[in-house]
Amino acid sequence: MNDRDTYETAAGPLAITPIHHATLVMEWAGETIYCDPVGDTARFAGLPEPTLVILTHHHGDHLDLETLSAVLGDDTEIIAPKIVYDQLPKDLLDRTTLMANGDEVRWHDIPIRAVAMYNTTPDRRKYHEKGVGNGYLFEFAGTVVYLASDTEPTPEMDDLGDIDIAFFPMNLPYTMTPDQVVTCIEKTAPRYVYPFHYRFPFDKPGNEPADLTALLPVGSKTEIVERDWY
């Protein structure tokens, strides 16, 4: 298991564990949220089973039906966009909440909002079209986490409000350059940023978290949390 980072909220600690690529786990107030669980289930060893699984979109490095079925507990609920919902086995549909861009739900005292995620550069729009997948905002007793998922800087980021912790993807051609992540930081002003999704294929060297740290201006109020996601 990778590093487990803990942040204090008004209702107890929020623990964040990077798992791999775009997969992460959040634990708070007795709830355990798996985000885009894919790949080897051994990566989740030592973690509680999820009470909620968040799915962002349908690409294979985010949606793995075999892994999903393996990690689900009897009472695990799922949140997903329609393109994912339509691919889920019938036995999972009753436990799945469908969310589109802009939708809001309150799940077990955690407000969750679906946020548009998409490419804006003309020759990259084919990878992630607007309205198909979701990023998500989570509020843990006033502490806000933004899971941007596969996106470039978008106008929607200008209206997200105060953000404490953000996860931004950083690889080409599918998501962003480090410079574009800096733009996202300028739009959202998070206290902590996790660069993730920075190698694809996984064995192909690309930008590393340190590349983003090097771009932040002196005195920036944002801290880059450099973790080895691979």
Side-chain angles (χ1 to χ4, degrees):
M1 190 168 69
N2 292 331
D3 295 315
R4 186 174 184 268
D5 300 315
T6 302
Y7 301 89
E8 288 303 320
T9 79
L14 167 65
I16 294 176
T17 304
I19 300 296
H20 181 72
H21 185 57
T23 302
L24 62 115
V25 172
M26 297 186 289
E27 299 169 78
W28 180 79
E31 306 293 355
T32 301
I33 302 174
Y34 285 21
C35 300
D36 285 348
V38 303
D40 189 351
T41 56
R43 294 184 177 124
F44 301 95
L47 290 165
E49 70 178 26
T51 50
L52 176 66
V53 170
I54 287 281
L55 300 171
T56 62
H57 63 294
H58 59 300
H59 291 163
D61 56 328
H62 295 261
L63 176 63
D64 180 333
L65 294 178
E66 183 176 349
T67 301
L68 176 63
S69 295
V71 301
L72 291 176
D74 291 340
D75 299 317
T76 306
E77 296 178 49
I78 299 170
I79 288 176
K82 186 176 188 304
I83 197 164
V84 171
Y85 183 90
D86 288 345
Q87 296 184 35
L88 294 178
K90 290 183 178 180
D91 63 326
L92 298 185
L93 298 182
D94 286 345
R95 63 167 80 186
T96 301
T97 298
L98 181 62
M99 293 188 73
N101 295 171
D103 286 351
E104 299 183 18
V105 298
R106 189 175 187 90
W107 183 87
H108 295 202
D109 292 327
I110 303 171
I112 301 174
R113 188 198 322 174
V115 179
M117 51 143 277
Y118 57 98
N119 287 98
T120 56
T121 301
D123 64 353
R124 297 186 222 159
R125 289 176 184 164
K126 61 189 176 185
Y127 297 121
H128 304 94
E129 297 179 353
K130 186 175 181 179
V132 175
N134 292 332
Y136 294 94
L137 280 179
F138 307 84
E139 184 181 339
F140 300 97
T143 296
V144 178
V145 176
Y146 176 32
L147 176 64
S149 195
D150 288 10
T151 193
E152 294 183 70
T154 67
E156 287 84 355
M157 291 181 186
D158 297 332
D159 301 314
L160 297 182
D162 294 335
I163 293 173
D164 297 287
I165 303 165
F167 293 83
F168 289 121
M170 192 175 68
N171 77 310
L172 292 180
Y174 307 106
T175 62
M176 293 191 277
T177 65
D179 286 318
Q180 286 182 300
V181 177
V182 171
T183 298
C184 293
I185 291 171
E186 292 169 348
K187 284 174 171 285
T188 58
R191 179 67 185 87
Y192 301 96
V193 166
Y194 286 77
F196 74 154
H197 197 297
Y198 53 84
R199 293 182 198 164
F200 194 76
F202 303 143
D203 59 352
K204 181 181 178 181
N207 290 113
E208 296 295 315
D211 298 329
L212 180 60
T213 301
L215 288 177
L216 284 193
V218 175
S220 173
K221 295 181 179 180
T222 296
E223 178 182 335
I224 305 303
V225 184
E226 298 182 18
R227 295 290 178 256
D228 182 4
W229 292 72
Y230 300 91

